[in-house]
Amino acid sequence: MSLLNRRTLILAPLALAACGFEPVYGPGGNGSALQNRVLVDEPNERYGYFLTREIEGRLGRAAAPTYGLALTIATKQAGLATDVEGNTQRFNLIGTVDYALRHLSTGQIVTSGKVENFTGYSATGTTVATLAGEQDAQVRLMTILADQVVTRLFAADISG
């Protein structure tokens, strides 16, 4: 190993520490601060159930919550590909989630934001296959959106 490579290897952690980098699950990181401390508002529809399940899978289920997480989900479907007869062969399922993390004792919003993404499914084949594809796309979309929400929560400044 050359001298330059050794220096880079030794100095890289110092450079990361100097830039304010803090591991999410390290002491004082948001991963540790939010783990098992966020109560997701009760879902009232199918998409909300899937999104809540995915977020709780990442943050844990709070027995003694400190924070509450409100989620507002909006979805729409867009046809993409049509055949010569005018039948839609592929759909995009587009989802948007507005979220707000609030401190339960004060009611103050700690962080909020909006995430958006999409997934697709095919409408070719039988009605049963199309329905199964649509339901799978719904679950995949909520998984993607849950990842985005949790990532934003981990990146937020929740200390103040």
Side-chain angles (χ1 to χ4, degrees), residues 21 32 80 107:
F21 172 77
S32 300
L80 291 179

Side-chain angles (χ1 to χ4, degrees), residues 22-154:
E22 187 175 285
V24 169
Y25 289 106
N30 280 356
S32 300
L34 294 174
Q35 193 67 39
N36 296 319
R37 295 179 65 197
V38 176
L39 177 65
V40 181
D41 291 355
E42 189 174 316
N44 56 6
E45 40 87 30
R46 179 181 173 86
Y47 289 112
Y49 166 76
F50 290 131
L51 186 63
T52 299
R53 181 183 71 184
E54 295 298 326
I55 290 173
E56 285 180 345
R58 287 152 184 75
L59 296 178
R61 202 168 227 192
T66 304
Y67 302 99
L69 182 62
L71 303 166
T72 304
I73 305 166
T75 59
K76 63 182 177 181
Q77 192 167 281
L80 291 179
T82 56
D83 60 16
V84 293
E85 297 171 357
N87 299 319
T88 304
Q89 299 294 315
R90 185 148 185 86
F91 291 93
N92 262 0
L93 187 59
I94 303 161
T96 304
V97 174
D98 291 303
Y99 65 91
L101 184 72
R102 68 191 178 284
H103 203 284
L104 291 176
S105 64
T106 64
Q108 181 178 3
I109 301 293
V110 178
T111 187
S112 63
K114 180 180 194 173
V115 295
E116 183 175 21
N117 220 309
F118 73 96
T119 189
Y121 67 95
S122 176
T124 59
T126 66
T127 305
V128 172
T130 299
L131 182 59
E134 181 180 9
Q135 290 172 346
D136 180 64
Q138 293 169 354
V139 173
R140 285 184 287 125
L141 179 60
M142 292 303 115
T143 301
I144 292 166
L145 292 170
D147 285 340
Q148 289 181 297
V149 168
V150 170
T151 299
R152 296 271 182 95
L153 293 177
F154 285 161

